[in-house]
Amino acid sequence: DTPTHLRGLHLAARAAGMQGDSAAVRAFEKRLVAAERSEVAKKLDEYDRHQDDIANGIAEARKALGAAK
C-alpha cells in the first residue's frame, strides 16, 4: 500500500534475489535508495525496530547500484 516503505522495498529486493530476478532486484534497490531520505524523515516506529536491517539493505543497494554503473 506504501510504494516507498523502506522495509517493504528491502524485503522485495531480497525476495526477487531469491527468485533470481536481477532486473527486479535492481529496480527495488533503486526505489529503496531513492526513498531513503523522505521515508526516514517520517520517523516510523517500524523503522526504529528494524533500523539495522534497513541500514544494511540500503548499504547493500548502494554498493550493488554503484557496481552496476
Side-chain angles (χ1 to χ4, degrees):
D1 214 29
T2 307
T4 57
H5 190 272
L6 296 177
R7 184 135 166 84
L9 290 170
H10 173 58
L11 293 175
R14 288 178 58 190
M18 288 182 212
Q19 295 176 357
D21 189 343
S22 60
V25 171
R26 276 192 309 279
F28 284 121
E29 288 175 337
K30 286 179 184 178
R31 289 173 55 193
L32 176 63
V33 170
E36 178 184 10
R37 181 170 288 175
S38 63
E39 284 295 307
V40 168
K42 293 179 182 179
K43 299 184 185 288
L44 299 179
D45 288 339
E46 181 176 1
Y47 291 167
D48 288 338
R49 287 192 306 272
H50 299 284
Q51 182 178 1
D52 290 342
D53 191 35
I54 292 169
N56 288 334
I58 291 169
E60 290 170 9
R62 287 186 190 284
K63 182 177 178 182
L65 292 171
K69 288 183 180 177

